[in-house]
């Protein structure tokens, strides 16, 4: 129910609302009115009520529904996020500091992506983020700024305090939606007077202005309740009512500074609600929605050339799978593998041989082409299993090797396999490679080697399966054994870990994912050639894992996309950009016999060196890796050790009190 306190909140709440409403309203307004947000919304509405007036009519109903779902998720999620952030904010961080952060970290990337495209814009955004982080750090050092202790933001909320924060979140959602509705209304009136908006859209303008505040009220309340699920709650059971919350405080106080920061992200209120785990769930929802509906959104956001961009993102996808597989070997188990491209080649040749006329030529078995395409799905698993088998075969003679010696053996294996495929003329067609590899088949999908959309969704599905498998492996008993071997083989062996089986499983699991990527690569490219598998590719795959973050699953995904974008997209387009007289790179064309392609390796190497020097833990490091490279002194526990011994052993309170962090 609306109340005067919600419509006209007290000064402290008013300041908090102003802080977050402006912080998120500006990026949303930039996307909506500066970029293509309003155009997409209007196009969706007109496609339903008056398709003839739509500027870019959708090809079919599924595309229209996908665009509708994305637009709804985007705006409704952001409104709920405002409520969450207001409820999760401790209020200790300054308003201007937040606004400056949002300007450089959100608004600037939006403008860069709009102007330069997705890949080039994100690359430029990384530079902006790095320069901003560097400058902010230097300014804080000059001002001798000392951040407050993580525990300072901890607050045990009573039922009354929780209700008050939910009420603040509800007010934030209401005011944010109302402000956005009014800004949209004013701009639409201006556009209507100028003749840029058809009369049909007036229905949508009125409906949006009336419905947004109502949706903001309920979504803000939803965001507040989600935030309160992560708060320390004070119960009313007398002197022992706050025992669980107090124990959590003591546990955090006993942690090192780095681990305390990680733990604090799970609890609200916090000084940095944008970095809290709850807020990250909202970001992941938006990222997943953007990835799922991107083929429909691409022409609306970036114009012509959708098929080319989707094909490039499909190539980036199998790089992600390769990085996830190599992360098991290098990141989890700590086994240096410089011949990883060999397993990629094996997976490619398995489907290249069985999924083309080469199989008929060698065996004489005739299969209808329509049936052949359906064999792709079981052959993906077969290719992965064959690659895994060869991973185990490679791992067997390397069990006693470590470090440089292991790297040399795997390097030799990576050099041998492409040569073998080149020499097996009867089965692999030698240096000419296998051509005419069939594309997969799926009900209702027009699937050919030149249709980028189906391959885009196929690689998304394969990435999702590989990420899920990696998460389960990492958290399993086997995954913990890999990490133990990486840290100390002798200690792991003394703890009862079978080094032989564990290492072999690491090589086999990593090769399994490489085989999946290889089968996809062969089907998408339509050909398999030994020239596609070089030692330099293994180095690129290793760079993805190291730059993304050893042992970090989200890190290697980002690292794979970053390395692919830098090496193949950005550096590959420099000569094209320099040919444009209006581009600032055109000045290099005045140099005699100069071409960026001649120094492409140099530029890529310099970028890698800079990243490793200034971000040695990787772009998104694992918690363990971050603590290793940014070691800080352990804090002296503030809690009395005797508190944990006052409860009977074996109870939940005792286990929580004496748990080793």
């Amino acid at each position: 129910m609306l109340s005067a306190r919600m419509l006209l909140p007290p000064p402290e709440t008013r300041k908090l609302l102003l802080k977050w409403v402006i912080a998120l309203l500006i990026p949303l307004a930039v996307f909506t009115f500066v970029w293509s947000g309003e155009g997409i919304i209007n196009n969706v509405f007109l496609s339903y009520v008056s398709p003839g007036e739509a500027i870019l009519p959708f090809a079919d109903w599924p595309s229209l529904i996908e665009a509708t779902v994305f637009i709804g998720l985007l705006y409704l999620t952001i409104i709920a996020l405002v409520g969450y952030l207001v409820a999760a904010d401790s209020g200790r961080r300054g308003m201007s500091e937040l606004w400056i952060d949002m300007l450089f970290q959100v608004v600037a990337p939006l403008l860069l992506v709009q102007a330069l495209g997705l890949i080039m814009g994100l690359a430029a955004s990384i530079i902006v983020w790095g320069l901003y982080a560097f400058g902010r750090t230097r300014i804080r050092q000059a001002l001798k700024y000392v951040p407050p202790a993580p525990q300072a933001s901890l607050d045990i909320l009573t039922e009354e305090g929780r209700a008050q924060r939910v009420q603040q979140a509800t007010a934030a959602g209401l005011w944010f939606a109302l402000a956005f509705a009014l800004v949209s209304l004013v701009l639409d009136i201006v556009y209507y007077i100028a003749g840029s908006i058809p009369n049909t859209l007036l229905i949508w303008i009125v409906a949006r202005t009336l419905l947004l505040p109502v949706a903001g009220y309920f979504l803000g309340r939803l965001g507040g309740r989600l935030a309160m699920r992560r708060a320390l709650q004070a119960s009313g059971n007398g002197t022992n009512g706050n025992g669980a919350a107090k124990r959590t405080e003591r546990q955090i106080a006993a942690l090192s500074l780095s681990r305390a920061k990680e733990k604090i992200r799970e609890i609200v209120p916090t000084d940095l609600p944008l970095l809290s785990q709850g807020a990250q769930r909202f970001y992941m929802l938006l990222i997943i929605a953007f990835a799922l509906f991107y083929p429909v959104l691409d022409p609306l956001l970036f114009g012509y050339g959708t098929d080319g961009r989707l094909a490039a993102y499909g190539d980036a996808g199998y790089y992600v799978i390769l990085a996830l597989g190599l992360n098991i070997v290098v990141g989890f188990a700590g086994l240096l593998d410089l011949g990883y491209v060999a397993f990629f080649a094996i997976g490619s040749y398995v489907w290249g041989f069985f999924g083309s006329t080469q199989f008929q030529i060698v065996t004489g078995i005739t299969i209808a082409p329509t049936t052949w395409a359906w064999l792709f799905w079981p052959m993906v698993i077969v290719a992965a299993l064959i690659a895994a088998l060869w991973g185990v075969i490679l791992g067997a003679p390397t069990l006693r090797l470590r470090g440089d010696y292991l790297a040399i053996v795997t390097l030799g294996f990576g050099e041998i396999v492409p040569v073998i495929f080149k020499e097996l003329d009867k089965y692999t067609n030698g240096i000419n490679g296998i051509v005419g590899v069939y594309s997969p088949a799926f009900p209702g999908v027009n699937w050919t080697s030149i249709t980028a959309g189906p391959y885009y969704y196929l690689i998304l599905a394969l990435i999702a399966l590989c990420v899920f498998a990696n998460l389960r492996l990492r958290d399993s008993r086997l995954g913990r054994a890999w990490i133990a071997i990486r840290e100390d083989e002798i200690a792991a062996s003394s703890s009862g870990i079978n080094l032989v089986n564990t290492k072999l499983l690491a090589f086999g699991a990593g090769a399994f994912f490489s085989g999946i990527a290889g089968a996809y690569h062969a089907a998408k490219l339509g050909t398999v050639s030994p020239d596609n598998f070089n030692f330099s590719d293994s180095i690129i795959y290793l760079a993805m894992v190291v730059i993304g973050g050893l042992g970090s699953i989200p890190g290697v995904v980002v690292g794979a996309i970053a390395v692919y974008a830098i090496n193949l997209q950005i550096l590959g387009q420099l000569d094209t950009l320099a040919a444009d007289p209006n581009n600032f790179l055109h000045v290099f064309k005045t140099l005699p016999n100069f071409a960026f392609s001649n120094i492409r390796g140099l530029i890529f190497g310099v970028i890698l060196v800079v990243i490793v020097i200034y971000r040695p833990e990787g772009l998104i490091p694992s918690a363990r890796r971050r603590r290793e490279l940014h070691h800080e002194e352990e804090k002296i526990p503030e809690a009395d050790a005797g508190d944990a011994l006052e409860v009977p052993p074996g109870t939940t309170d005792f286990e929580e009190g004496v748990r080793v962090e």
Side-chain angles (χ1 to χ4, degrees):
M1 297 284 297
L2 290 176
S3 62
R5 186 179 181 86
M6 185 172 297
L7 295 175
L8 188 62
E12 292 185 1
T13 302
R14 201 178 309 164
K15 182 178 179 181
L16 189 62
L17 298 184
L18 181 66
K19 171 183 175 180
W20 285 107
V21 167
I22 293 180
L24 273 76
L25 183 62
I26 293 178
L28 187 62
V30 168
F31 171 77
T32 304
F33 305 112
V34 179
W35 199 359
S36 303
E38 188 176 34
I40 297 176
I41 297 172
N42 295 342
N43 198 62
V44 167
F45 179 77
L46 290 175
S47 297
Y48 281 111
V49 299
S50 180
E53 294 182 284
I55 300 175
L56 291 173
F58 293 91
D60 46 37
W61 277 99
S63 299
L64 177 58
I65 294 174
E66 288 178 17
T68 305
V69 172
F70 174 77
I71 288 298
L73 279 176
L74 174 65
Y75 287 89
L76 298 181
T77 300
I78 291 178
I79 295 174
L81 176 61
V82 175
Y84 176 90
L85 294 174
V86 168
D89 190 6
S90 65
R92 300 200 312 163
R93 193 183 184 199
M95 185 182 300
S96 58
E97 181 184 0
L98 173 65
W99 291 350
I100 294 174
D101 283 351
M102 295 294 290
L103 178 64
F104 282 96
Q105 296 177 359
V106 181
V107 176
L110 282 175
L111 297 175
L112 289 172
V113 170
Q114 177 204 7
L116 303 177
L118 185 60
I119 296 295
M120 297 291 289
L122 290 177
S125 301
I126 292 175
I127 297 176
V128 171
W129 292 332
L131 294 176
Y132 175 66
F134 179 81
R136 183 179 59 182
T137 302
R138 292 298 178 269
I139 292 175
R140 287 181 173 180
Q141 289 177 351
L143 297 176
K144 298 181 179 179
Y145 170 78
V146 179
Q151 299 92 315
S153 64
L154 282 179
D155 188 12
I156 301 176
L157 300 178
T158 61
E159 286 296 334
E160 182 181 356
R162 292 164 62 88
Q164 180 181 1
R165 286 188 174 271
V166 172
Q167 188 177 24
Q168 290 176 345
T170 306
L174 172 65
W175 278 103
F176 179 84
L178 181 61
F180 181 73
L182 292 177
V183 171
S184 302
L185 177 63
V186 171
L187 291 176
D188 284 338
I189 291 175
V190 173
Y191 291 147
Y192 180 76
I193 295 175
S196 302
I197 293 181
N199 294 331
T200 311
L201 280 178
L202 293 178
I203 303 173
W204 162 246
I205 293 172
V206 174
R208 179 194 60 202
T209 305
L210 296 176
L211 294 177
L212 265 181
V214 177
Y217 175 89
F218 291 102
L219 290 172
R221 178 173 292 272
L222 174 63
R225 289 180 174 176
L226 292 176
M228 290 302 98
R229 290 184 178 182
R230 298 176 176 271
L232 296 178
Q233 182 178 2
S235 57
N237 298 329
T239 57
N240 297 324
N242 300 333
K246 290 294 185 182
R247 281 194 300 274
T248 302
E249 284 188 315
R250 290 197 298 268
Q251 290 173 3
I252 294 176
L255 298 176
S256 66
L257 182 59
S258 58
R259 298 203 65 179
K261 289 179 180 178
E262 297 168 11
K263 187 68 175 178
I264 288 295
R265 291 183 181 179
E266 304 174 6
I267 304 172
V268 298
T270 176
D271 293 345
L272 300 173
L274 283 171
L275 300 180
S276 64
Q277 289 189 355
Q280 291 174 7
R281 301 292 177 88
F282 287 93
Y283 309 151
M284 286 303 302
L285 176 61
L286 294 178
I287 292 173
I288 292 173
F290 181 78
L292 285 176
F293 304 130
Y294 179 80
V296 175
L297 301 173
D298 182 271
L300 301 172
L301 295 175
F302 303 107
Y304 298 102
T306 297
D307 287 341
R309 287 189 288 268
L310 289 180
Y313 301 150
D315 293 338
Y318 75 76
Y319 272 70
V320 171
I321 297 177
L322 288 168
L324 288 170
L326 186 58
N327 185 51
I328 292 178
V329 183
V330 180
F332 290 170
L335 306 172
L336 185 56
D337 189 352
L338 296 182
Y340 193 65
V341 70
F343 309 117
F344 182 48
I346 291 172
S348 298
Y349 268 101
V350 168
W351 174 240
F353 176 76
F354 288 100
S356 68
T357 56
Q358 191 72 16
F359 178 75
Q360 179 180 345
I361 294 172
V362 174
T363 63
I365 300 175
T366 303
I367 302 177
T370 54
T371 305
W372 226 321
W374 285 96
L375 295 177
F376 172 80
W377 307 108
M379 287 307 300
V380 168
I381 303 300
V382 173
L385 291 175
I386 293 176
L389 174 63
W390 281 100
V392 173
I393 293 174
L394 167 64
T398 65
L399 294 177
R400 297 185 179 182
L401 302 177
R402 300 180 188 176
D404 301 337
Y405 303 98
L406 176 61
I408 291 174
V409 172
T410 56
L411 168 61
F413 185 77
E415 292 292 324
I416 290 171
V417 169
V419 175
I420 292 177
F421 284 127
K422 188 180 297 184
E423 296 299 327
L424 292 176
D425 293 347
K426 179 180 178 180
Y427 303 97
T428 64
N429 207 21
I431 60 175
N432 296 321
I434 301 174
V435 297
V437 180
Y438 288 101
S439 300
F442 199 79
V445 178
N446 182 21
W447 214 323
T448 65
S449 59
I450 60 174
T451 53
Y455 280 107
Y456 175 83
Y457 283 113
L458 173 59
I459 198 62
L460 279 187
L462 292 177
I463 290 174
L465 290 174
C466 292
V467 169
F468 175 77
N470 269 257
L471 289 172
R472 299 300 297 169
L473 285 172
R474 183 197 63 185
D475 299 334
S476 67
R477 184 174 182 179
L478 177 60
R480 294 194 296 270
W482 285 335
I483 295 174
I485 291 176
R486 183 192 68 188
E487 298 299 325
D488 192 326
E489 280 193 23
I490 298 176
S493 178
S494 302
S495 301
I497 295 175
N498 188 319
L499 298 182
V500 174
N501 293 341
T502 306
K503 286 185 177 182
L504 290 179
L505 286 172
F507 278 110
F512 182 90
F513 293 109
S514 185
I516 293 176
Y520 170 86
H521 173 71
K524 182 176 184 296
L525 194 61
T527 182
V528 183
S529 173
D531 296 333
N532 296 334
F533 313 104
N534 302 310
F535 166 70
S536 59
D537 294 326
S538 292
I539 302 302
I540 294 295
Y541 306 150
L542 182 61
M544 294 177 181
V545 177
V546 175
I547 289 176
L550 285 169
S552 170
I553 294 176
V556 298
V557 172
V558 174
I561 296 174
V563 172
Y564 172 83
I566 294 172
N567 190 39
L568 298 180
Q569 293 290 311
I570 299 174
L571 297 183
Q573 297 180 14
L574 291 182
D575 283 319
T576 303
L577 296 174
D580 184 4
N582 298 323
N583 195 290
F584 72 94
L585 294 176
H586 186 68
V587 66
F588 291 98
K589 283 294 184 181
T590 60
L591 301 176
N593 301 322
F594 177 84
F596 282 104
S597 59
N598 296 334
I599 60 171
R600 179 174 174 176
L602 172 64
I603 299 175
F604 182 64
V606 170
I607 293 173
L608 296 184
V609 169
V610 171
I611 293 176
V612 171
I613 290 176
Y614 290 99
R615 191 74 176 178
E617 68 272 29
L619 298 177
I620 306 180
S622 63
R624 183 187 300 270
R625 183 71 172 169
R626 185 189 297 113
R627 290 193 296 267
E628 289 175 354
L629 295 179
H630 296 278
H631 177 72
E632 295 171 295
E633 294 184 358
E634 295 286 333
K635 293 178 67 64
I636 299 176
E638 298 177 3
D640 185 4
D643 294 343
L645 302 179
E646 294 177 358
V647 293
T651 63
T652 303
D653 293 346
F654 177 84
E655 294 176 357
E656 291 183 356
V658 300
R659 183 179 299 158
V660 178
E661 295 289 345

